[in-house]
Amino acid sequence: MAMVVHRESSSGSGGSSGMSKHMAAAAAAAAASSADAGKYVRYTAEQVDALERVYAECPKPSSLRRQQLIRECPILSNIEPKQIKVWFQNRRCREKQRKESSRLQTVNRKLSAMNKLLMEENDRLQKQVSQLVCENGFMRQQLHTAPTATTDGSCESVVTTPQHNLRDTNNPAGLLSIAEETLAEFLSKATGTAVDWVQMPGMKPGPDSVGIFAISHRCSGVAARACGLVSLEPTKIAEILKDRPSWFRDCRSLEVFTMFPAGNGGTIELIYTQIYAPTTLAPARDFWTLRYTTTLENGSVVVCERSLSGSGPNTAAPQFIRADMLPSGYLIRPCDGGGSIIHIVDHLNLEAWSVPEVLRPLYQSSKVVAQKMTIAALRYIRQIAQETSGEVVYSLGRQPAVLRTFSQRLSRGFNDAINGFPDDGWTLLTCDGAEDVIIACNSAKTFMATLNAASSLPMVGGVLCAKASMLLQNVPPAVLVRFLREHRSEWADFSVDAYSAAALKSNAYAFPGMRATRFTGSQIIMPLGHTIENEEMLEVIRLEGHSLTPEDAYISRDIHLLQICSGIDENAVGACSELVFAPIDEMFPDDAPLLPSGFRIIPLDSKPETATNRTLDLTSSLEVGPSTNNGAADATSSGSTRSVLTIAFQFPFEISLQENVATMARQYVRTVISSVQRVAMAISPSGASPTVGPKLSPGSPEALTLAHWICQSYSYHMGTELLRTSSAGDDTVLKHLWHHQDAIVCCSLKSLPVLIFANQAGLDMLETTLVALQDVTLDKIFDESGRKSLCSDFPKIMQLGYACLPGGVCTSTMGRNVSYEQAIAWKVFAADETTVHCLAFTFVNWSFV
């Protein structure tokens, strides 16, 4: 060191000055280079086009891809890779800003339109208040000045709805007069005070609402109204809504008998409509109506409709009850900036006298009409608008219309099975003395032609339908349907599913080679109706089958079902809860024949204000035996609720086996009914008490205890805490473990380890439920390399108590690959700290590949 210092000192001032100048020059050059690298680069039009083409394919290219781009495009050779990276960053930022600006503009237009609707609604309410004040003053005056008899007569005149004297429907002039009257009455309901509208429960308007919904109060019949903003043109909306069978699931048919111009640019149609009955306990309805379509002076499109007097067509239809449609329809007004404001009014008299008394609330409720017709129409229009604008993207590469057709076919086939109309070929078979299950047969040639075209049976001679309805007490429909969907093995027979699937499968497999097995999960392919009140899902589920003989082990025995499920949210406002399914070929062809079966649960009473969350893990309740009355207090506080459950199952049969299949179908439906009753008793507040939160299977320790064992064992082995919480409360530990970001699963210590517990992230990763988890073995979630790594580290786990496994890939129950950065395995000790209860695994930073 001394020599260095001495040499620097003896070099003289000239040497020091020269070195300083050299260093200053180098620094200046570096600064200039840095400035050049950071300055703004101007791109030519050709360079921008080249970069835009790459951006369209990959908005975030890697460093290697950017270098490759410079090599492949000579026009970019004078641009530094860093500048290319900056260009893509700025381009992504501009795209994000553009989308956000577009979204905000859309929200602003929607809020402006909603504000306009609310102002109109406020004006209507003010007029209604003024009218009521005037009527109240008039009534007070009459009470003070008129005799008693006159007072009674005046009161009656106030509340009585005058009956219209309909003219001769064969006279076009008379029909035009009826149409004009219908238009005036409809507009007074849509925007005026002709009906006393009240806000529909559970459908409060707001910034995130899709519309304003109201139901009638103190008026003849039942009525509902909806107002909303839709991003479609008025003529397009009118065209869609006039096709009622496309959006109204209960509409069996709509036939236009006569159509002629009204002379003012509008059209008048005479229409006959048939409506399905929702259950086997009531007859179907039909309507004979006049429909008037016209355009107002302000550019609004109006479609209004009302019933006509007289029998109309199809007078010899005893299975239908003629219902009455009071002036109803659609007012569609063009909106500034595009789109339309739509007003929907449905006003019906469904002749409640014709159904059993227990079902009359369904036919006397304006809320039911709103849910099944008014809201359904607005929801369908909004769905079409979202599909048109590209806001909704569906999987499997299918067009939205194709998938929507599948959903409609399932609903229509299920309604056909429930109603069993003779003109469709259905006939009732003699019963075995008990009237609990109805057996109907359909052997119509037109009905069977489609099935025989795709069937693997020698010849499908017909279809048998076994159906029944039952009354449920204090059973939440959403909870019951959710349980039936998640726990198919609790009520379904795999061999029966295999029989139905074999009849409609193009390549048949041996029916005797099937054995019952577990439900392995579902793949949701199309969510429907997330926007309003009743989430509906169209999904394909796979039932896993195994061969009994080794020589057939290579043949796939899986069964695929196409399924729609709706009304599974307890807090949503829905008309009913449904689970409808049909066997389908695994290739999922667009023209696949469908034989829908399933469940429909319709609430007969108003939903309680407070709804409790109930877990789907009810297997323990079903296996315990006699139930307790711990939920009696809940039942008392929430009030008694009733609902009607309708079950319908369809079975194809060969001509020579009709009697055998009928016996099997009747017995199978009775078995299903028994299973459903057992489930209903378990989830009813007056039966077994519902279980809240994550719960383990019978025979396992309580969830709170196991949570402590998992965390304490992890801390013992790893020397650090699994949960980042200082609270030691039982509920807190379980809550933090359940919501831990990493997937945590536990398996038993057996020759074939079976999963016994998983937190929410673990269930999401494996795509299963807490109950179905118990059918998953440990070896099935690892790939080949993962299994080898686990086998090599297993002695280490048993000796040291833990092991850190390298990152890899595991498989969900749906067959999807899941990558994880690291897995940690450790032994979970029981309370005595010597007995090993199970093995626990945590998968760090997992994601679907």
Side-chain angles (χ1 to χ4, degrees):
M1 279 302 271
M3 290 180 61
V4 174
V5 173
H6 176 72
R7 292 179 61 183
E8 289 179 351
S9 300
S10 63
S11 60
S13 60
S16 175
S17 175
M19 182 176 293
S20 299
K21 292 180 180 180
H22 178 73
M23 293 177 62
S33 177
S34 176
D36 292 340
K39 70 179 182 180
Y40 179 77
V41 177
R42 290 189 176 274
Y43 297 88
T44 64
E46 293 79 6
Q47 290 174 333
V48 172
D49 290 340
L51 293 172
E52 287 287 354
R53 286 194 298 269
V54 176
Y55 180 85
E57 299 175 359
C58 180
K60 194 174 182 180
S62 63
S63 175
L64 294 177
R65 180 69 180 93
R66 294 195 299 269
Q67 293 177 4
Q68 180 185 1
L69 174 63
I70 294 176
R71 291 194 301 268
E72 293 177 353
C73 297
I75 59 176
L76 300 176
S77 58
N78 62 332
I79 301 178
E80 297 291 332
K82 181 179 180 180
Q83 292 298 335
I84 298 291
K85 179 180 180 180
V86 170
W87 185 92
F88 277 98
Q89 290 175 344
N90 294 336
R91 181 65 177 82
R92 290 193 300 269
C93 183
R94 290 196 302 271
E95 180 71 15
K96 184 177 180 181
Q97 291 175 345
R98 184 190 65 79
K99 290 182 178 180
E100 181 65 13
S101 175
S102 177
R103 187 189 69 82
L104 292 177
Q105 290 177 1
T106 302
V107 172
N108 184 57
R109 287 196 301 268
K110 177 181 176 181
L111 291 177
S112 299
M114 291 296 296
N115 181 61
K116 184 178 180 180
L117 282 176
L118 290 173
M119 293 176 63
E120 293 176 353
E121 181 69 6
N122 185 55
D123 292 340
R124 187 194 67 81
L125 291 175
Q126 290 180 353
K127 293 178 182 178
Q128 185 174 348
V129 169
S130 300
Q131 180 179 344
L132 291 175
V133 169
C134 293
E135 290 179 358
N136 184 50
F138 175 77
M139 293 293 294
R140 287 178 178 271
Q141 182 181 2
Q142 291 293 100
L143 287 173
H144 286 290
T145 61
T148 304
T150 306
T151 303
D152 292 340
S154 65
C155 290
E156 184 178 355
S157 66
V158 171
V159 298
T160 301
T161 303
Q163 298 295 325
H164 284 271
N165 182 20
L166 299 182
R167 298 156 183 79
D168 184 8
T169 58
N170 294 322
N171 182 1
L175 289 176
L176 181 58
S177 176
I178 296 173
E180 294 294 343
E181 288 183 8
T182 303
L183 174 62
E185 291 186 42
F186 160 68
L187 291 177
S188 67
K189 296 176 183 179
T191 60
T193 59
V195 173
D196 185 7
W197 298 111
V198 296
Q199 180 180 297
M200 184 173 176
M203 306 294 288
K204 294 182 179 180
D208 297 327
S209 174
V210 297
I212 304 172
F213 306 97
I215 56 178
S216 61
H217 178 60
R218 295 183 307 176
C219 78
S220 61
V222 288
R225 189 187 68 164
C227 308
L229 174 67
V230 180
S231 58
L232 292 175
E233 295 303 315
T235 54
K236 177 65 174 178
I237 296 175
E239 177 186 347
I240 295 173
L241 290 176
K242 290 173 70 173
D243 184 17
R244 188 174 286 128
S246 67
W247 57 265
F248 184 26
R249 296 291 177 86
D250 287 352
C251 183
R252 184 194 182 209
S253 63
L254 185 149
E255 185 176 358
V256 179
F257 274 79
T258 305
M259 181 176 66
F260 57 88
N264 56 355
T267 58
I268 294 177
E269 302 163 289
L270 300 185
I271 297 174
Y272 177 68
T273 307
Q274 293 181 345
I275 305 298
Y276 288 111
T279 174
T280 61
L281 302 177
R285 293 324 194 237
D286 64 355
F287 296 89
W288 173 238
T289 59
L290 176 146
R291 185 167 69 188
Y292 180 38
T293 304
T294 187
T295 303
L296 303 182
E297 295 180 357
N298 60 3
S300 300
V301 177
V302 178
V303 181
C304 54
E305 189 173 358
R306 71 168 301 155
S307 287
L308 296 175
S309 61
S311 58
N314 203 25
T315 56
Q319 70 270 33
F320 288 95
I321 297 294
R322 179 60 51 86
D324 187 23
M325 179 182 292
L326 287 75
S328 308
Y330 320 106
L331 169 62
I332 312 165
R333 305 186 306 183
C335 188
D336 297 338
S340 306
I341 296 177
I342 179 172
H343 299 254
I344 303 175
V345 173
D346 292 302
H347 195 173
L348 308 173
N349 181 358
L350 296 174
E351 306 295 341
W353 59 266
S354 61
V355 300
E357 186 174 357
V358 69
L359 295 181
R360 289 181 186 176
L362 295 179
Y363 296 82
Q364 297 173 333
S365 171
S366 296
K367 186 177 177 180
V368 172
V369 172
Q371 292 159 343
K372 298 181 70 173
M373 292 185 64
T374 316
I375 298 177
L378 184 58
R379 182 177 61 191
Y380 184 81
I381 289 293
R382 287 181 55 82
Q383 180 185 332
I384 296 296
Q386 290 173 348
E387 293 173 359
T388 304
S389 62
E391 296 179 30
V392 181
V393 180
Y394 300 122
S395 58
L396 295 186
R398 302 299 179 96
Q399 292 295 324
V402 175
L403 297 176
R404 190 165 55 248
T405 300
F406 273 119
S407 179
Q408 294 169 348
R409 288 175 59 195
L410 284 173
S411 294
R412 183 178 184 84
F414 187 59
N415 279 322
D416 283 332
I418 290 176
N419 287 262
F421 294 115
D423 56 351
D424 283 338
W426 290 98
T427 57
L428 295 179
L429 300 183
T430 57
C431 62
D432 59 355
E435 298 182 355
D436 56 337
V437 178
I438 302 171
I439 302 293
C441 175
N442 193 336
S443 302
K445 293 182 179 179
T446 54
F447 181 76
M448 303 313 303
T450 305
L451 296 182
N452 285 320
S455 174
S456 64
L457 294 181
M459 178 60 69
V460 175
V463 173
L464 285 172
C465 178
K467 52 189 176 181
S469 295
M470 55 187 288
L471 189 67
L472 300 177
Q473 193 83 8
N474 292 332
V475 178
V479 178
L480 180 55
V481 166
R482 203 159 67 234
F483 186 91
L484 295 174
R485 173 178 176 262
E486 294 289 344
H487 307 286
R488 188 180 182 88
S489 60
E490 291 293 333
W491 57 267
D493 188 334
F494 183 84
S495 60
V496 175
D497 291 328
Y499 169 81
S500 299
L504 301 177
K505 195 175 178 71
S506 56
N507 296 317
Y509 40 74
F511 173 70
M514 292 290 180
R515 69 176 177 86
T517 185
R518 63 183 176 275
F519 167 63
T520 59
S522 63
Q523 176 190 5
I524 299 176
I525 62 172
M526 183 183 183
L528 298 173
H530 284 282
T531 54
I532 302 185
E533 91 299 344
N534 196 20
E535 180 178 342
E536 180 180 273
M537 294 178 291
L538 173 66
E539 55 191 355
V540 173
I541 66 174
R542 185 184 74 248
L543 307 181
E544 186 176 292
H546 297 283
S547 175
L548 293 178
T549 56
E551 56 271 16
D552 291 336
Y554 65 92
I555 302 177
S556 174
R557 305 290 173 175
D558 294 348
I559 298 173
H560 294 80
L561 301 178
L562 183 66
Q563 177 173 280
I564 54 173
C565 183
S566 63
I568 60 175
D569 183 1
E570 285 184 89
N571 297 319
V573 181
C576 66
S577 300
E578 285 186 337
L579 180 67
V580 181
F581 51 88
I584 192 170
D585 190 274
E586 60 185 345
M587 300 305 295
F588 197 52
D590 293 348
D591 57 348
L594 299 177
L595 279 182
S597 303
F599 308 86
R600 173 181 291 158
I601 310 175
I602 309 174
L604 299 176
D605 305 298
S606 299
K607 190 180 74 170
E609 291 297 326
T610 57
T612 57
N613 293 325
R614 306 176 191 279
T615 180
L616 293 182
D617 183 19
L618 300 173
T619 307
S620 57
S621 300
L622 299 177
E623 294 178 354
V624 169
S627 58
T628 62
N629 274 330
N630 295 340
D634 181 33
T636 303
S637 61
S638 62
S640 176
T641 59
R642 296 176 300 171
S643 56
V644 59
L645 165 66
T646 299
I647 302 174
F649 283 77
Q650 298 191 75
F651 305 90
F653 65 88
E654 297 180 42
I655 298 176
S656 60
L657 298 177
Q658 177 176 335
E659 292 291 335
N660 295 337
V661 175
T663 302
M664 180 272 294
R666 181 181 289 109
Q667 185 59 43
Y668 179 63
V669 170
R670 286 174 179 167
T671 302
V672 171
I673 291 175
S674 177
S675 300
V676 171
Q677 289 175 333
R678 184 164 54 94
V679 173
M681 182 178 297
I683 66 177
S684 173
S686 59
S689 59
T691 309
V692 180
K695 187 181 185 303
L696 303 178
S697 60
S700 298
E702 292 296 329
L704 297 176
T705 304
L706 182 58
H708 275 286
W709 291 355
I710 293 173
C711 297
Q712 291 172 358
S713 300
Y714 183 90
S715 176
Y716 173 79
H717 294 301
M718 307 300 297
T720 184
E721 297 296 332
L722 176 63
L723 306 178
R724 296 179 179 179
T725 174
S726 58
S727 175
D730 292 346
D731 294 337
T732 303
V733 173
L734 177 58
K735 178 181 178 181
H736 282 79
L737 182 70
W738 183 254
H739 296 290
H740 197 279
Q741 62 179 359
D742 295 330
I744 300 174
V745 299
C746 297
C747 70
S748 60
L749 282 173
K750 299 180 179 179
S751 57
L752 186 61
V754 177
L755 302 187
I756 61 173
F757 173 78
N759 66 348
Q760 186 61 62
L763 297 178
D764 294 340
M765 183 186 74
L766 297 176
E767 295 185 293
T768 186
T769 62
L770 202 57
V771 173
L773 181 76
Q774 301 166 34
D775 295 323
V776 182
T777 56
L778 183 63
D779 63 303
K780 285 193 173 183
I781 69 174
F782 288 99
D783 62 356
E784 187 64 28
S785 61
R787 284 192 291 268
K788 290 181 179 179
S789 176
L790 179 61
C791 291
S792 62
D793 289 333
F794 191 78
K796 179 181 177 181
I797 298 175
M798 300 309 296
Q799 182 178 1
L800 299 180
Y802 72 96
C804 296
L805 307 178
V809 177
C810 61
T811 307
S812 74
T813 57
M814 297 303 299
R816 290 207 289 173
N817 290 334
V818 182
S819 64
Y820 56 92
E821 291 184 3
Q822 185 187 30
I824 302 174
W826 71 95
K827 293 192 293 187
V828 176
F829 292 113
D832 57 8
E833 297 185 358
T834 57
T835 305
V836 179
H837 176 69
C838 62
L839 284 182
F841 294 83
T842 178
F843 297 87
V844 181
N845 292 337
W846 64 272
S847 62
F848 289 106
V849 179

